[in-house]
């Protein structure tokens, strides 16, 4: 280095020209939610599959009357509702992470996430609506 060259300098991480980044715990909570919802979903889905596919005649008994009888019970309504909500939120959170990891531009990331959020809301709201307004007496 000659005497006429100025030494290279880098701003300190917390200098006044570079404000400190605000930290939130959203990603931590998202990570914890994925683990907990995965364990609960494992129990709910395996229980659902055991009952629907293996017990009392298997898939041959599943028809409109079977679903109507099942959803007449608040227990099964809550079971299916929790499974629907957790599956929607768990899958949506996983796709949000994939979008964050692989989309390159902020604009693309924004629109992909908006499309994802709209589809999650639509699916969960319509599924909840069907579950609570199901009428077994179709005339």
């Amino acid at each position: 280095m000659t005497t006429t060259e100025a030494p290279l300098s880098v701003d300190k991480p917390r200098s006044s020209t570079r404000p400190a980044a605000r930290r939130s715990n959203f990603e931590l909570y998202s990570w914890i939610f994925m683990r907990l919802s995965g364990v609960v979903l494992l129990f709910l889905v395996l229980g659902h599959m055991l009952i629907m596919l293996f017990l009392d005649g298997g898939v041959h008994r599943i028809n409109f009357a079977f679903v109507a009888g099942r959803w007449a019970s608040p227990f099964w309504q809550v079971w299916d509702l929790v499974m629907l909500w957790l599956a929607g939120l768990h899958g949506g959170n996983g796709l949000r992470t994939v979008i964050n990891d692989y989309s390159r531009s902020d604009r693309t990331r924004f629109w992909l996430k908006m499309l994802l959020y709209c589809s999650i809301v639509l699916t969960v709201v319509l599924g909840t609506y069907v579950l609570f307004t199901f009428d077994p007496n179709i005339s």
Side-chain angles (χ1 to χ4, degrees):
M1 178 153 104
T2 64
T3 57
T4 59
E5 290 181 43
L8 295 176
S9 68
V10 177
D11 289 336
K12 294 178 184 175
R14 303 257 185 237
S15 69
S16 60
T17 60
R18 183 176 166 201
R22 300 217 182 259
R23 300 210 42 165
S24 76
N25 288 329
F26 177 76
E27 290 299 329
L28 172 66
Y29 297 142
S30 172
W31 185 86
I32 292 171
F33 170 76
M34 288 298 278
R35 274 54 187 177
L36 295 177
S37 66
V39 170
V40 173
L41 274 169
L42 188 65
F43 170 74
L44 290 172
V45 170
L46 288 178
H48 177 81
M49 298 296 281
L50 176 71
I51 292 164
M52 299 300 264
L53 299 177
F54 298 114
L55 299 180
D56 295 333
V59 295
H60 301 293
R61 71 180 172 127
I62 299 174
N63 57 19
F64 184 84
F66 174 77
V67 174
R70 181 179 162 115
W71 282 355
S73 166
F75 174 79
W76 291 116
Q77 279 186 328
V78 170
W79 182 290
D80 288 346
L81 183 70
V82 170
M83 192 166 51
L84 169 72
W85 276 75
L86 279 179
L89 295 174
H90 183 91
N93 192 27
L95 282 174
R96 181 193 59 82
T97 303
V98 170
I99 289 169
N100 283 339
D101 287 347
Y102 289 105
S103 61
R104 294 184 184 202
S105 80
D106 290 337
R107 188 177 199 185
T108 303
R109 185 177 304 115
F110 172 79
W111 286 112
L112 284 173
K113 287 204 280 190
M114 286 301 110
L115 185 63
L116 172 66
Y117 297 151
C118 288
S119 66
I120 292 168
V121 167
L122 182 69
T123 304
V124 170
V125 167
L126 283 177
T128 304
Y129 176 74
V130 166
L131 202 124
F132 283 125
T133 61
F134 182 77
D135 183 16
N137 301 318
I138 294 179
S139 26

